Amino acid sequence: MEDKQMKKRKVPLRKSVVSGEMFPKKDLIRIAKSKEGEVSIDPSGKKPGRGAYVALEPTEVETAWKKKILDRTLETDLSDEFYQELLDYVKHQKARKELFSNG
């Protein structure tokens, strides 16, 4: 019987701009800033432009919001509405992950 875990595939790691820790890419959410300066949540991780990663942890988003970390990283001013949207998204994704995880 074939081993279900493929040993050859490397897990892509990215650094959270909040904690500075490395996480598997799937445990992070990418925030993208386009050339036009538009900032958006990038669930696919494929939008063009500068990207910043935040862990799928509500506390990380709250820290980023409080300290305006994404504003500094992406060199822009983000609205409270954006941070609220990001926080809601992360809470939703985390809940889904916990719901569908087998552990």
Side-chain angles (χ1 to χ4, degrees):
M1 196 169 156
E2 208 174 290
D3 189 3
K4 282 192 177 149
Q5 286 186 320
M6 294 170 69
K7 289 183 174 75
K8 286 192 176 79
R9 284 192 67 195
K10 268 195 172 161
V11 176
L13 295 175
R14 296 292 182 271
K15 187 186 278 192
S16 164
V17 293
V18 180
S19 67
E21 279 182 72
M22 297 297 280
F23 290 95
K25 200 172 161 187
K26 65 177 174 42
D27 294 341
L28 297 158
I29 180 64
R30 182 173 186 259
I31 314 303
K33 180 183 174 190
S34 69
K35 283 193 178 96
E36 297 74 40
E38 191 181 309
V39 176
S40 58
I41 297 169
D42 181 12
S44 71
K46 291 179 170 68
K47 283 186 181 177
R50 179 162 167 71
Y53 291 88
V54 178
L56 284 174
E57 282 297 329
T59 52
E60 277 226 349
V61 177
E62 287 163 1
T63 301
W65 192 349
K66 237 181 277 167
K67 297 181 176 178
K68 297 286 186 189
I69 293 169
L70 288 170
D71 299 54
R72 284 200 309 271
T73 304
L74 298 171
E75 298 170 345
T76 188
D77 287 322
L78 296 169
S79 66
D80 285 343
E81 288 80 18
F82 177 82
Y83 277 107
Q84 187 61 58
E85 184 187 341
L86 179 60
L87 184 58
D88 293 342
Y89 178 86
V90 166
K91 283 180 178 173
H92 177 76
Q93 289 302 316
K94 188 175 183 200
R96 281 192 63 202
K97 207 170 172 188
E98 286 167 3
L99 191 67
F100 292 113
S101 73
N102 302 333

